Each structure stands twice: as C-alpha cells, then as structure tokens.
Amino acid sequence: MDKENDTNIKQISKEGIVIEDKNVIEISDLKLSFGNNAVLQGIDLEVKKGETVVVLGKSGTGKSVLLKCIVRLIMSDSGKINVLGMDVLTLNDKELVKLRTKIGFIFQQAALYDSMTVRENLEFPLERHENLDEDEHNKRIEEVLESVSQKESIDKMPSELSGGMRKRIGVARTLILKPEIMLWDEPTTGLDPATSREISYLIVKMQKDFNVSSIVVTHDMSCAKIVSDRIVVLKDGKFIIEGTYEELSKSDDEFVKSFFEEV
Amino acid sequence: MLEYVPKSITNFFLEVYGLYGFTVAYFREIFKRPFEFKEMIRQFFQIGNKSLGLVSITGVIIGFVLALQSVPTMSQFGAVSLIPSMVSIAIIREIGPVIIGLICAGKIGSSIGAELGSMKVTEQIDAMEVSATNPFKYLVVTRITATTLMIPLLVIYADAVAILGGFLALSIVGDETLYFYFSKVFSALTFSDILPSTIKTFFFGFAIGLVGTYKGYNASRGTESVGVAANTSVVVGSLLIIIIDMIAVQITTIIS
Ligand SMILES: Nc1ncnc2c1ncn2[C@@H]1O[C@H](COP(=O)(O)OP(=O)(O)OP(=O)(O)O)[C@@H](O)[C@H]1O
Ligand SMILES: [Mg+2]
C-alpha cells in the first residue's frame, strides 16, 4: 500500500469546512411499507450543502431502504423527497438519470461489477455520461484512484481486492462523475479499526476537497464521531432525536445511550 | 377471493405475466440508444465459446447413435441405403433443435440466471441503475439478443456435426463412402425441412435468454436465491422449449 497517501488521509480534520445555509436534500413525512412491515413511518430530514449527516439505527430498521428511496431505487409510498431542487418522486426517466449522475451511492458491499477490472468499473459510468477525449478520460481515472490511494489496483479484478480496497474503489467509482451528494451505506462495517478510520477520514476528505454533502448510515460510533456534523437516530421508522456527536453523547435516552456504550 | 386459489396456480400466472412484461420491455428497449454493442458482442462470444465443446460432442453422438441403432431394423427391410436420408431428416427437423435447445437451456440459461442473480443479490444491478445506466438494456437486452441469434447457429452447426456422426457409424458397420452418404443426405433434404426448424430455433434462443435474464434479474434477496435463479432458469427454459416445439410442429403440419 502507498504509505505517503495513507498519512495524507490520516491528517484530515474537520477544520475549515464550510456548510452553506442551503438545503440539498429535503425529506418530509416519508412512509414506506413492505406488505405488513412498516419500515419507514414518517421520516423528516434536511441536509445542507457541504454537511455530513450521520444516520444511526439498529440493524433492520430501514437505513438502507431510506438511502435507496432518495435515489428512487425503491419507490416510497407517500411523503416528499426533494433533492437539489428536484422532486424525486415525480421525475420522469430523463430527469431521474440527470439527478442520479449528481448523487454518489456507496453500497454496503461495494457492489463492484465483478466481471470487470477496476479500470472498467470506473470507465463504466464515465463512458456513458461524459464525452471526454482519451487524455482527459485517463487523467480522470487516475485522479479518482489517487484520491482513494488505490492507484496500484487499476488492472486488478474485484475478486483480488480486500474488503477495504473494494470499498475505496466503490468510492472512486462514484467520485468519477463528481457528485454533489454522496450516500454512504455502512462504509466501515466489516473493516478493521485502522481501515475503518481511514475510510472515515476519506469521507471527511470528500467533504473538504469537493464540498460534497453526505448522508452516512452506520452503527460505527468512531466513524460517526469523525465524520458527523449532525447525527439523527432512527427507531421504529422515525427519527427520535437529532444533534451533534457531543450533544447526543450526553443524552439521557436509553436507546441513544446504547450506541455510545461501546465507545 | 384470491386466497381460495392454490398458491401454485397464482404463482404460475404471475410468472407468465412477468415473462410477458419482460418480453414487452425487451422490444421497447432494443430499438433505443445506446445499443451496448460491446457487451452484446462479448455475449455472442461467451455463449458460443462456452457451448461449442458440449454441442460438438452431443452432435456427433446423436448422429452416431441414431444411425447405428437404425441398422438392424432397416436391414430387415433391405433399406440400409435409406439410413442417411432418414437420419438427416430426423436430426434437422426435430432431434437437433430440441436436444441442442435443451442442452443450451441447461448450459447457457443457468449461467445467465446465476450471473444476473448474483449481480442482483450483491446490488450490482442497483449500482448500475444509480450510476444512471439502464441495467435492463445493458444486461437483459444484450443477453436475450445474443441467445436469440446464437442458438440457431449452434443448432445448425450441431446438425452438421450430427450428420457427420451418422456417416461415422455407417462407415464403421458397413462400407458407406463420404460421397455417397452426402449425396443421399442432400437429395433427401428439402427446403421445407430446413426452414421451419431453423425458425423455431430462434424462438428457442429467445426463450432461453428471456427466462435466464428474468429469473436472474428478479432474484430475491439472500445468496440462496442465486441457486434458485439458476435452477428455475433451466427448468422453465426447458419446459418452454418443449412447448414451443409442440406449437411449431402443429403450425408446420397445418401449413404443409
Ligand atoms: N426489497 C425489499 N423487499 C422487502 N422487504 C425489504 C426490502 N428491502 C428491505 N426490506 C425490509 O426492510 C427492513 C429494513 O431493511 P434495511 O436493509 O433498510 O435495514 P438496515 O437498517 O439497512 O439494516 P442493516 O444495518 O442490517 O443493513 C428489513 O426488515 C427488511 O427485511
Ligand atoms: Mg443496510
């Protein structure tokens, strides 16, 4: 692994980050059931430009489902979702494609295309949405690999990569279209503490370097501590509390306390 | 009302409806840009490459066995010289298409079902969709098109190999020469043997691709559904081939 780049990622702190007073995501009264299973029961959430919001919640409470609703991978039953000024639930196919190119989605298991090399994985979205000449094309691929410190993986197959490397390539693949918003589904789950920390700093780096707004779904409190500007807690299909890491760590609520106990 | 209908029956109709929907979507998407030629050509090679060995061996054996089996019976009537025409007509009209169709349903159908199934389960299909690529076009349309065009080629090739296998058998038991064998074969075959059976193989190919992609694309969550997708692709695909064959035979008898 590239030593110099690693230390580079480790030095990142939250200082100097600008959060504008402008909402890029507005969700109100979002509801969704699968049959009898009422997963989301009235979600309200706002995310500002440049802000990172962490969503905490137990396994199976619908965190992944919430992220998928935002890009309309799953159609919600009712409510309103407004992303970058567009009403997600009523967009036509063309507008939806346009919106999706501005959103990066980091899947829980990275979801790399396993019949393609890393380079082809990165080229896949690039070829389809931007008309770059060959130099610019290659430069963009190198740039994004550089920013996740994975330049040496370029000709590998996903099956040859470790879990942490796969996550990084997954990040690189969404970065390639320069998204304004990134949705991270449990970015650190299943990784060792050191790699988890690196991924957390990577999230902050994205915020700092590219001014992206993020929603980070996680139950990893050390990740939440590093990346969050604000935390919301999901329970029984609703957000029960919201605040900064500091505020929530002093909360009396038993449920909220249970997340902080591990630390 | 619906709860009185047995689950297997409702499932059957849901399945048929799902396959119908997939067919409609296929014809809607195939004429729209982008055409994903690169992936389509990759699929052509994959399908041909993967099945060529199996199809060759099966072809030779079918022809060989068919000819060999006919020798005792036909010699009772003193009609050994009719074997080449009998074998070639049987192979081209029925045995070649159906057996190769079934073999491809097993080999190609299952691999498409498993491939798309695992892509679905590991969220790769979702990933394509959020990177604003149409996964239906990239994964489904290319594969169905590839099977629709490749299965007929494989069948034609297998027919040829099988007829050659028939020659092999006759030259072992008797003293058939290649020249006489093929002159008998070609004088027996007519256009009306070849055309209908070739047309039906396009439908076989379409069915194999359709079922494999449908099962894989609609795999449910959890890794075990990859196996289920592969397995049901083969079962439903084979069944469809038999049904299409039956219909095709009816139609050709009515027309001729
Ligand atoms: N496509 C689907 N069809 C039916 N039910 C679903 C579907 N997706 C999710 N669910 C159900 O919705 C609920 C929430 O699932 P989700 O994957 O969002 O949980 P999660 O909060 O992300 O949990 P984890 O931390 O384990 O990833 C679960 O009960 C799950 O069974
Ligand atoms: Mg999840």
Side-chain angles (χ1 to χ4, degrees), chain B residues 76-214:
Chain B
Q76 277 179 8
F77 303 106
V80 175
S81 65
L82 289 182
I83 293 181
S85 36
M86 193 203 78
V87 166
S88 56
I89 288 179
I91 285 172
I92 290 200
R93 276 207 182 166
E94 192 58 29
I95 300 178
V98 171
I99 293 199
I100 298 306
L102 291 176
I103 283 188
C104 290
K107 179 92 185 164
I108 299 166
S110 67
S111 83
I112 291 179
E115 187 192 10
L116 294 206
S118 74
M119 290 187 78
K120 169 81 179 198
V121 169
T122 57
E123 298 181 313
Q124 291 174 52
I125 293 182
D126 284 345
M128 275 185 192
E129 186 143 8
V130 291
S131 75
T133 304
N134 184 341
F136 188 88
K137 206 160 204 161
Y138 184 79
L139 297 171
V140 176
V141 172
T142 53
R143 279 164 180 73
I144 296 182
T145 308
T147 53
T148 309
L149 299 180
M150 278 310 277
I151 303 290
L153 285 182
L154 285 170
V155 169
I156 289 170
Y157 165 75
D159 286 349
V161 174
I163 291 173
L164 219 59
F167 167 72
L168 213 63
L170 292 185
S171 65
I172 290 172
V173 295
D175 46 7
E176 190 73 55
T177 66
L178 196 63
Y179 174 77
F180 277 112
Y181 181 79
F182 274 101
S183 63
K184 283 177 213 157
V185 167
F186 284 120
S187 64
L189 285 178
T190 63
F191 193 60
S192 64
D193 295 318
I194 298 173
L195 186 68
S197 65
T198 305
I199 291 176
K200 106 184 145 187
T201 56
F202 282 96
F203 287 92
F204 289 177
F206 186 82
I208 292 170
L210 179 74
V211 174
T213 49
Y214 174 75

Side-chain angles (χ1 to χ4, degrees), chain A residues 2 34 54 66 82 85 99 118 126 161 173 209 219 245 256:
Chain A
D2 197 334
F34 293 108
V54 167
L66 172 63
N82 193 304
L99 177 65
V118 167
L126 194 57
L161 304 175
R173 189 178 63 186
D209 293 359
H219 12 226
Y245 183 88
V256 177

Side-chain angles (χ1 to χ4, degrees), chain A residues 68 100 112-114 128-129, chain B residues 36 123-124 129 131-132:
Chain A
K68 286 179 184 171
R100 281 172 171 171
L112 301 183
Y113 308 131
D114 38 44
R128 284 170 171 73
H129 294 292
Chain B
E36 308 286 5
E123 298 181 313
Q124 291 174 52
E129 186 143 8
S131 75

